[in-house]
Amino acid sequence: MGVTKENLEASLKAKLNPSHLEVVDTSGGCGASFVVEIVSEQFEGKRLLERHRMVNAALEEEMKEIHALSIKKTVTPEQWKQQQEANQSNAAA
Amino acid sequence: TIRCASALTPQLKSTLDTVIASNKIVLFMKGTKDFPQCGFSNTVVQILKSLNVPFETLNILENDMLRQGLKEYSSWPTFPQLYIDGEFFGGCDITVEAYKNGELQELLEKTMLS
């Protein structure tokens, strides 16, 4: 049993309506462990702490069984677009 | 109906209020600053050490009531938990991000001067 990547994706999609979502299972033997990247309009106007709180709240049930959750990115679609463009120009340089 | 008893008793809450009010930087972590027992806790310890600021650590692995109560106190489900100047600052990911963009240094400088 336990929590799966699919469980996390379903909960995050239902609660934060992301335009981009990436959940990576990084469990290495000591229990369920995940890295999350999420792009959502709901982060607009919110500080990083509040954004992380929103992700934690969306995963309230799953958190009871998760050993480690790393919230790598919580950005708005606008920030995401800027970051993607910056990455591309870096790659081209 | 059956309800789970809260781990955050009034006594624990007032103890935490005191600890956080009387130390400018407090890290609730797995292990101690000299012997971190989890990579996430270790990351935050190393960041604080590299910034040369005095900080207190409390080992939540030694006290399960503290561990459960803090999750409620901070409304934060995981450890480590960093408090700066009486306020919850964040967990490992937020601290790393703030360290990278310089916000953490700025806040700590302000805190140490206050």
Side-chain angles (χ1 to χ4, degrees), chain A residues 78-90:
Chain A
E78 186 57 30
Q79 290 173 319
W80 176 247
K81 209 178 122 209
Q82 285 169 3
Q83 288 178 6
Q84 295 294 98
E85 281 165 9
N87 283 344
Q88 273 172 14
S89 60
N90 281 346

Side-chain angles (χ1 to χ4, degrees), chain A residues 49 52-53 56 63 70-71, chain B residues 74-78 88 93-94:
Chain A
L49 180 64
H52 281 227
R53 281 200 196 281
N56 288 333
M63 287 307 278
S70 182
I71 305 173
Chain B
S74 313
S75 311
W76 194 258
T78 54
F88 181 62
D93 297 316
I94 287 179

Side-chain angles (χ1 to χ4, degrees), chain B residues 18-70:
Chain B
T18 307
V19 169
I20 288 158
S22 48
N23 296 282
K24 286 183 173 181
I25 306 170
V26 191
L27 181 65
F28 298 94
M29 62 176 284
K30 294 185 177 177
T32 63
K33 68 168 98 172
D34 297 315
F35 187 48
Q37 288 179 260
C38 164
F40 297 97
S41 288
N42 184 43
T43 299
V44 177
V45 166
Q46 295 314 320
I47 286 177
L48 293 174
K49 281 187 175 172
S50 79
L51 294 174
N52 266 319
V53 287
F55 61 101
E56 277 305 312
T57 58
L58 274 92
N59 184 358
I60 54 107
L61 294 177
E62 278 179 354
N63 185 334
D64 200 54
M65 209 172 109
L66 175 68
R67 182 179 185 164
Q68 297 310 327
L70 259 173

Side-chain angles (χ1 to χ4, degrees), chain A residues 9-79:
Chain A
E9 285 171 347
S11 295
L12 289 170
K13 276 182 188 158
K15 288 170 189 149
L16 295 172
N17 189 31
S19 60
H20 172 84
L21 174 67
E22 196 177 329
V23 178
V24 182
D25 187 338
T26 51
S27 54
C30 62
S33 167
F34 299 92
V35 176
V36 172
E37 262 188 41
I38 180 162
V39 183
S40 168
E41 276 180 359
Q42 293 182 31
F43 293 141
E44 203 75 60
K46 301 249 179 7
R47 295 182 52 211
L48 190 57
L49 180 64
E50 296 171 68
R51 294 178 185 191
H52 281 227
R53 281 200 196 281
M54 288 163 74
V55 175
N56 288 333
L59 299 177
E60 197 188 349
E61 280 309 303
E62 291 86 350
M63 287 307 278
K64 291 170 190 160
E65 289 183 60
I66 292 177
H67 173 76
L69 177 72
S70 182
I71 305 173
K72 199 173 150 201
K73 241 178 212 162
T74 48
V75 295
T76 61
E78 186 57 30
Q79 290 173 319

Side-chain angles (χ1 to χ4, degrees), chain B residues 101-113:
Chain B
N101 67 26
E103 278 173 30
L104 183 64
Q105 293 88 316
E106 203 176 302
L107 175 63
L108 290 179
E109 265 171 41
K110 224 167 62 187
T111 302
M112 298 320 295
L113 289 173

